[in-house]
Amino acid sequence: TITRIAAISACEKGSAWNKALELLSVMVQNTLQLNTITFHAAIVACGKGGRWWKALQLFSMMAQCTVKSTAYTFNAAVTACETGGQWQKALHLFAAMPQSQVELGTIAFITVLSACEESGVWEQALQLFSVMEFSTVESR
């Protein structure tokens, strides 16, 4: 299992999203232990490969596999949406973080702000910035 996780992580670094998905599929078929690290690497690989929808599928699959989402996996999925120009989906994930008991962090705020900025929805960015100012996250 550790070898497969390392291979998925290598795929992430090489943006080989399709190979990462193949390895993850083999792990699922062989009922091997899946964890946050495995999903995070595969989500990042899909995001880097421009496959934001695959990243979201993997993010959803985590719950089905009883793997708890973390700030890292949320940020990876939000980044995949940002890269793919999917600001609405990025906002949806961002809004779901507190419901999943995941703390809103600076990286999540910046990534969603960037997604809004790149899509030209400055009103949404201003609303997020005001939320950020009143949260526990520093707005530096």
Side-chain angles (χ1 to χ4, degrees), residues 30-50:
N30 294 325
T31 61
L32 298 175
Q33 181 76 30
L34 299 172
N35 61 29
T36 304
I37 297 166
T38 309
F39 277 102
H40 178 265
I43 290 168
V44 171
C46 288
K48 285 183 178 180

Side-chain angles (χ1 to χ4, degrees), residues 26-105:
V26 168
M27 291 180 77
V28 170
Q29 290 170 1
N30 294 325
T31 61
L32 298 175
Q33 181 76 30
L34 299 172
N35 61 29
T36 304
I37 297 166
T38 309
F39 277 102
H40 178 265
I43 290 168
V44 171
C46 288
K48 285 183 178 180
R51 303 298 193 270
W52 60 267
W53 62 95
K54 292 281 187 189
L56 291 181
Q57 287 173 351
L58 290 173
F59 186 78
S60 295
M61 187 179 169
M62 289 178 67
Q64 297 165 2
C65 295
T66 63
V67 175
K68 188 167 172 46
S69 53
T70 65
Y72 295 112
T73 54
F74 264 101
N75 289 336
V78 169
T79 299
C81 291
E82 176 215 2
T83 303
Q86 301 297 312
W87 66 271
Q88 300 98 329
K89 296 200 183 303
L91 278 173
H92 178 74
L93 281 169
F94 181 78
M97 289 176 80
Q99 297 163 1
S100 298
Q101 286 92 33
V102 175
E103 186 176 319
L104 296 175

